[in-house]
Amino acid sequence: MSTHLTGERQTVSDQPVSDRPSSALNALLRYAPALLALSVLGRLAWTLLSPNGMNLVDLHVYVDGSESLRGGSLYSFTYSEVTPDFPLPFTYPPFAALIFFPLHFLPFPVVGVGWQLLTILALYALVRMSLSLVLGDAARGPHWRAVAVLWTTVGVWLEPVRTTLDYGQINVFLALIVMTAIRSARWWLSGLLVGAAAGIKLTPAITGLYFLMQRRWKAAAFSGVAFAGTVGVSYLLIGAEARVYFADLLGDADRIGPVGSVWNQSLRGALSRLLGYDVETGAVWLVAVALTGVLAFLAWRAIASDDRLGTLVIVELLGLLVSPISWSHHWVWVIPMLIWLLHGPYGAMLGSRVLAGYWLLTTLVGAPWVLSFLQPSIWEISRPGVLSWLGTVNVVGAFGVYAWMVYAGRRTKREARAGAAIIAPVRRSERQDPDPVV
């Protein structure tokens, strides 16, 4: 696949002769369905046969926590059967408990296996939608459907999705809801989906910024209305629990987990490990957030205005960075980001491939997972300098993507303007000379 810029608009050709896949890649694409089937079977084997495969601790929190609504003890509930060092509380908005509540009527093994299979299916849908944002109608072709299958096969083993499956997390589903919202041309549906997703888990609320950047004012406003609707429904049906959450617990990062753990790949987590203490939301964190915001703004200004996937990546990375807690499994947006890097407007440039290689390496290895064996406990923040710097892997990678967007976007626009300046005089001279035929 190759991309070309005409002025500032991106057009895509499906597969020109100059950019045909290598024979090795052709073979992978040919056997992509079989590889995905093997990947899914391997994942299920791990889940069903390994000693800890069915722990699915976060799914237990969703299911068992929501069941505690019966006794009115949602926010005093904790799950500690396999996490004695950190009993896991229900940290989500009360609307999430209403959504999860029906799951407790099913046997947990059925819920667990079904959750994993649906997560992988949602990942495939997320990949297909990401490709369609950069390729347009070409993404429907058989070549790109095979590419989507191959990306799904790889994505299952990248750390954000791998840990999402390990814990039974909801991140891929939320990303798919957001992707569906931004692809819809209906403002009310876009706003409804984002607002409802934020009602289940607050992190998708950052997508409202995407609507503003794309000047989709109605969608942005209605996402706020939809979120307020989830709050209203919560107060109506489980008022006591809603009051506890919104009056006392909202914004309490300490309740979510240990800020300094290497699993927390947010700005606050990285800075706290570097400095040896929790920076909280003080001056150091505020300056870092301001600088991150400026870099994100410059990246947005540099890329083409119709680059919807690039804009979405900017927004979602910003949300991950500025959130007090961004566990490694929250970073499922790495998959759409990798698709943008390799198949987007700058995919043929060396910098895009280097960045993609960095992210593929660090997420396939699972840098936070490796480093977690070297931290004395999840609660201890101070650690040797080399471990602190290695623990910034996602933050550094996100800054790298922003910086690359600024450079590549400005360079591409500059070259497009230079090309237009060369062509323009020729056209003027042609208009001055009379056509001898006429």
Side-chain angles (χ1 to χ4, degrees), residues 159 167 253-254 256-273 278-280 285 319-331 368-369 371-372 375 378 381 383 388 390-395:
E159 185 179 50
Y167 303 144
D254 292 335
I256 299 174
V259 170
S261 171
V262 72
W263 293 107
N264 179 20
Q265 287 292 306
S266 69
L267 269 177
R268 180 173 167 182
L271 289 171
S272 297
R273 290 188 295 272
D278 184 2
V279 299
E280 298 182 338
W285 180 81
L320 289 164
L321 289 170
V322 304
S323 175
I325 300 281
S326 289
W327 304 124
S328 63
H329 55 76
H330 290 169
W331 287 75
W369 173 73
L371 293 171
S372 69
Q375 62 183 4
I378 59 175
I381 295 178
R383 63 201 67 198
S388 298
L390 288 173
T392 65
V393 58
N394 285 18
V395 175

Side-chain angles (χ1 to χ4, degrees), residues 300-320:
W300 171 59
R301 293 290 295 170
I303 66 175
S305 59
D306 61 348
D307 187 348
R308 292 195 291 166
L309 184 59
T311 303
L312 182 62
V313 166
I314 290 171
V315 169
E316 299 302 334
L317 288 182
L318 180 64
L320 289 164

